[in-house]
Amino acid sequence: MPLNTPIRDWTGKRVWIIGASTGIGASLARVLLQAGSRLALSARRGELLQSMAAEFPAENVAVLPLDVTDGDALKSAWRTLRDRWGGCDLIVVMAGDYVPMSSFNLDQQAAEHLLRVKLHAPLQVLECVLPDLLAAGAGGLALVSSVAGYRGLPRSLVYGPGKAAVINLAESLYLEVRPRGLGVWLINPGFVATPLTAQNDFPMPCLITAEEAAREILRGFARGEFEIHFPKRFTRTLKLLRLLPYRLYFALVRRITQ
Ligand SMILES: NC(=O)c1ccc[n+]([C@@H]2O[C@H](COP(=O)([O-])OP(=O)(O)OC[C@H]3O[C@@H](n4cnc5c(N)ncnc54)[C@H](OP(=O)(O)O)[C@@H]3O)[C@@H](O)[C@H]2O)c1
């Protein structure tokens, strides 16, 4: 039994991607538009969203620029969407930022910003959309986390805990709202070449393109998975590491990351 209702046909599906201006979100938006979905695109840089929207028929794309940390802007965008579409089949909370941070360069302001975007923003999205989705008994939410949330990693002092919290949030949400007819997906990418990872100064194992990531996400939806993780050759190894006792885990991660 799949954990979510498999989605194989995207024709006419109404999808809101928050964090659609670059990277994985932009690629996912393009793939879904090509598959016949109706898309609402959100991020702060409206000009990037507009230029993507211009590639597709106007009736299929709505551009709703916003800062995901702004609760009022989220509510207003959701009202616009409800009026225009009468509902929404899938909301993808993709927005994210990354600042490498370790115990030796902890920056409280940057930490608060990261957690606002990664953790508080998904909660604000939930508060905004859940009452309507629950009333309709249909639709769903996909929260984007990362394999960096599986266990503690060096130089991930704030990003990692934020992602771990989103994994936990998606699990809790699934348990609560799946029985009420909603879908909940957890998307855990490995390394994907995007503006976010361009700043990494270390070799990124099993790096894939944003287009490949978008196709992996669609495959996960088609299989009705709860956790959509990719690329499997990388994420399966990390899943094994997750099972190790601390003594072994710390020794291995130290060796790999030194
Ligand atoms: N790339 C990877 O290897 C990787 C691995 C694991 C997880 N992830 C996760 O995947 C998601 C997408 O990342 P990406 O790699 O595609 O990075 P990206 O290209 O930098 O995309 C991030 C997106 O989030 C939007 N965003 C950031 N802050 C926002 C805010 N305050 N309000 C609204 N939108 C905001 C950005 O648009 P604006 O700047 O225009 O607002 C952009 O569209 C992130 O959650 C990231 O943590 C990525």
Side-chain angles (χ1 to χ4, degrees):
M1 266 293 275
L3 291 174
N4 279 301
T5 306
I7 307 177
R8 299 191 182 95
D9 182 5
W10 289 92
T11 316
K13 287 261 184 281
R14 302 158 299 178
V15 183
W16 183 18
I17 301 183
I18 304 172
S21 61
T22 59
I24 307 170
S27 290
L28 182 63
R30 282 208 167 77
V31 170
L32 287 174
L33 280 162
Q34 283 152 7
S37 300
R38 282 185 284 169
L39 258 286
L41 310 174
S42 289
R44 288 163 303 178
R45 286 168 291 174
E47 67 288 357
L48 292 180
L49 303 175
Q50 289 291 0
S51 70
M52 186 192 323
E55 298 169 28
F56 297 92
E59 64 273 19
N60 290 353
V61 203
V63 171
L64 301 168
L66 55 77
D67 185 326
V68 73
T69 62
D70 177 346
D72 290 337
L74 275 174
K75 281 185 196 134
S76 155
W78 180 238
R79 270 195 305 273
T80 306
L81 268 189
R82 266 187 334 201
D83 292 349
R84 185 161 169 175
W85 286 348
C88 190
D89 300 300
L90 174 66
I91 296 134
V92 183
V93 189
M94 177 73 72
D97 209 343
Y98 171 58
V99 182
M101 227 182 285
S102 76
S103 321
F104 315 111
N105 69 346
L106 186 56
D107 170 343
Q108 195 55 34
Q109 240 184 332
E112 276 173 22
H113 164 74
L114 276 183
L115 292 176
R116 256 201 313 279
V117 178
K118 268 329 297 174
L119 181 56
H120 298 170
L123 289 169
Q124 288 200 137
V125 174
L126 294 189
E127 188 190 22
C128 176
V129 305
L130 266 182
D132 290 323
L133 297 187
L134 286 169
L141 282 138
L143 303 185
V144 179
S145 181
S146 166
V147 293
Y150 284 174
R151 287 190 88 165
L153 290 168
R155 300 182 61 193
S156 195
L157 206 67
V158 179
Y159 186 79
K163 294 297 192 185
V166 173
I167 291 175
N168 192 294
L169 169 62
E171 292 169 353
S172 305
L173 188 65
Y174 182 89
L175 286 167
E176 287 188 2
V177 305
R178 182 66 191 138
R180 304 274 296 270
L182 306 194
V184 178
W185 294 266
L186 167 65
I187 300 178
N188 282 331
F191 286 114
V192 183
T194 68
L196 186 136
T197 46
Q199 59 180 312
N200 284 346
D201 57 1
F202 55 87
M204 291 179 269
C206 308
L207 183 72
I208 60 170
T209 65
E211 293 70 30
E212 287 171 308
R215 282 196 294 274
E216 288 280 5
I217 292 172
L218 255 57
R219 269 196 284 276
F221 279 117
R223 286 195 289 255
E225 289 171 346
F226 163 70
E227 186 197 7
I228 302 176
H229 60 96
F230 52 84
K232 296 279 191 288
R233 60 192 186 280
F234 183 57
T235 52
R236 284 194 179 127
T237 309
L238 291 176
K239 279 177 179 293
L240 281 178
L241 284 181
R242 190 156 63 159
L243 301 175
L244 294 179
Y246 280 121
R247 186 176 298 281
L248 265 176
Y249 176 75
F250 288 147
L252 216 66
V253 171
R254 232 179 237 131
R255 187 172 314 161
I256 295 167
T257 55
Q258 259 166 11

